[in-house]
Amino acid sequence: MSEFFLELFSEEIPANLQKSARNSLLQSFKDFFAKKNINFKKEFSISTPNRLLIFFDGINPEIHQKEEEIRGPKIDASKKALNGFLKSNNLENKDIYKKESEKGIFYFAKKPAKKIKIYDLLNENIPLILDKVSWKKSMRWGDFELYWGR
């Protein structure tokens, strides 16, 4: 089991913004973990005028993604639609098959089961999660597109 600890240093955050910021940040990570099926045992967040901290304990270092069947376009759809489906899912023609469903006959493919490292998921998604933190009052910092509390 692993831990995830994120500490954000900042200019002084006004007291009235700290509570909502730490709750928003914690909830954003909890939502992300739920979406990616990442389990944890406990979590908390704290803040000081210059720091926001979140902590998750009891995280497995890897998650196992189950095999998944994905539906593509109808069999009478254009070749362009089929090629788009193949390209977006990194598939080849040999990987798809036809299957009848309630709405007609569609192309389907199976995504194989795989292991995903939590480190890689977090590394990729932390900037996206931080962009979603909202503030009652914010300003753009420097030459960056980041808006932070003021």
Side-chain angles (χ1 to χ4, degrees), residues 62-117:
E62 293 180 335
I63 57 172
H64 302 279
Q65 201 171 42
K66 295 180 181 177
E67 184 178 272
E68 179 183 6
E69 185 176 60
I70 49 176
R71 187 178 83 177
K74 279 191 163 187
I75 61 166
D76 57 350
S78 69
K79 188 77 171 167
K80 189 175 182 180
L82 180 59
N83 287 338
F85 171 69
L86 293 172
K87 185 176 180 182
S88 67
N89 291 293
N90 296 325
L91 299 170
E92 296 178 16
N93 279 330
K94 65 179 181 165
D95 299 328
I96 59 173
Y97 55 92
K98 298 174 186 176
K99 183 176 170 184
E100 190 169 347
S101 70
E102 299 167 357
K103 297 181 181 180
I105 302 174
F106 289 85
Y107 288 108
F108 281 84
K110 289 195 181 213
K111 280 189 161 180
K114 61 182 177 180
K115 290 182 183 180
I116 301 173
K117 292 184 180 182

Side-chain angles (χ1 to χ4, degrees), residues 1 13 19 48 69 72 108 120-121 124 131-132 141 143:
M1 297 300 218
I13 303 169
K19 183 177 180 180
T48 68
E69 185 176 60
F108 281 84
D120 295 335
L121 272 178
E124 184 179 311
D131 278 346
K132 294 178 184 175
W141 289 93
D143 296 332

